[in-house]
Amino acid sequence: GAAMAAARALRATRVAALLARMPGRLGFAFAMLDATRPAAAGRTYPVPGDGARGSVALLTGCVMEGLYAPTNRATARVLAVNGHRVVPAPGQRCCGALHAHAGDLDGARALARGNVAAFERAAPDVIVVNSAGCGAMLREYGHLLADDPAWRERAARIAERVRDVSELLAAAGPSPAPAGPAVRVTYDPPCHLLHAQRIADPPRRVLAAMPRLETVPLRDAEQCCGSAGIYGLVQPAVSQAVLAPKLAAIRDTGAALVATGNPGCLMQIGAGLRRAGIACRAVHPVDLLDAAYAAGRAAAAD
């Protein structure tokens, strides 16, 4: 909480943008922070719908809520547009993925128990996640707590109800969004979505709901961007070597936007694009869909 608040304050001063020009590891870290800056204030709009597709509770997450809060709000809006009733799940905590990556499995298990209890109280039909790394972690709760007889079955039941936001939207259609900007976009699948959760087509169906987008394929899209949880911070040289071909492939598409559904990937790719001087911005697919829905409602009101 305090760390995220300090990061947001630093981001707001534009100091992060200046320090992002520094060479080396420190400069890249500030570039990652600056990459989380929202492109513009998200527009709210009246959301119709009767929740006919059932109730969902959103895992707000620590990095998502700390640095990408507008994307969480956008996620709630687009789910409502597509027939879901979004219910709160107070008491939820960090998913535990970063703790597990760092080897703190006891800490990860404690966080998992807190989340299992919070989602049990909320009792949604589905637990929706807009961070690929968090989704992969929640789906593993049954395994993580397998040796805890008081929690393993409860954790497994919660894990079975976890869905990535793109899965729900793809199942719903999603509702078409013919407004919004005409822009070229490419899609980079997060490893934790494509390889860990085996989710490949739903994010592309989300992008296809916006016909004004020109979606172009990305060379070697299945390759990692080098973020890999905390790997980009603890092994910066290897991480940068993995990122370089990803940046080259994005540059070669000529796309103005690269869509990806994971905060680590958004930060890693966004920082790399800035430091390489590539005129492309990393964005969550849900933010694109939310902006298109907002544009459509604004056009209808005129």
Side-chain angles (χ1 to χ4, degrees):
M4 289 297 176
R8 289 193 299 271
L10 183 62
R11 182 180 66 181
T13 65
R14 305 295 302 209
V15 170
L18 294 174
L19 295 180
R21 301 172 186 172
M22 296 169 54
R25 182 177 183 175
L26 188 60
F28 193 85
F30 281 111
M32 290 178 73
L33 175 59
D34 192 54
T36 68
R37 180 186 302 279
R43 289 184 290 177
T44 61
Y45 49 89
V47 177
D50 55 5
R53 298 191 69 89
S55 63
V56 299
L58 174 66
L59 177 82
T60 52
C62 49
V63 176
M64 287 301 300
E65 187 64 21
L67 296 176
Y68 290 99
T71 302
N72 277 351
R73 306 293 91 76
T75 300
R77 287 191 294 268
V78 299
L79 287 170
V81 168
N82 284 278
H84 294 280
R85 179 170 56 89
V86 182
V87 299
Q92 59 173 289
R93 306 169 70 187
C94 172
C95 73
L98 296 180
H99 298 72
H101 291 319
D104 180 13
L105 290 178
D106 286 340
R109 291 186 184 104
L111 292 167
R113 293 184 192 100
N115 283 329
V116 167
F119 288 120
E120 284 176 340
R121 288 191 300 270
D125 297 319
V126 172
I127 298 156
V128 64
V129 187
N130 57 13
S131 160
C134 294
M137 186 65 186
L138 261 66
R139 290 181 191 264
E140 289 294 314
Y141 272 5
H143 175 72
L144 182 68
L145 296 175
D147 294 331
D148 187 333
W151 287 88
R152 60 190 175 204
E153 291 184 5
R154 296 169 64 183
R157 285 195 294 269
I158 289 297
E160 289 172 355
R161 289 151 67 186
V162 172
R163 298 291 183 275
D164 185 74
V165 62
S166 66
E167 291 182 278
L168 291 182
L169 293 172
S175 179
V183 64
R184 177 177 290 186
V185 61
T186 193
Y187 172 65
D188 187 61
C191 291
H192 279 99
L193 196 63
L194 180 63
H195 302 306
Q197 300 184 65
R198 307 294 185 189
I199 298 170
D201 184 59
R204 293 183 172 88
R205 292 184 61 185
V206 171
L207 296 176
M210 296 169 275
R212 287 177 61 80
L213 293 183
E214 178 193 358
T215 305
V216 295
L218 180 65
R219 181 178 70 247
D220 295 328
E222 72 282 359
Q223 299 298 315
C224 182
C225 72
S227 174
I230 63 171
Y231 194 79
L233 299 177
V234 299
Q235 294 288 345
V238 178
S239 176
Q240 291 298 306
V242 174
L243 176 61
K246 180 71 70 178
L247 296 177
I250 294 171
R251 181 197 60 218
D252 291 347
T253 67
L257 299 171
V258 54
T260 189
N262 188 59
C265 303
L266 287 166
M267 295 170 74
Q268 172 89 348
I269 294 172
L273 293 170
R274 278 167 163 76
R275 303 227 334 151
I278 298 172
C280 182
R281 181 170 59 86
V283 63
H284 199 293
V286 162
D287 284 319
L288 292 177
L289 188 56
D290 181 59
Y293 286 152
R297 281 154 177 73
D302 291 343

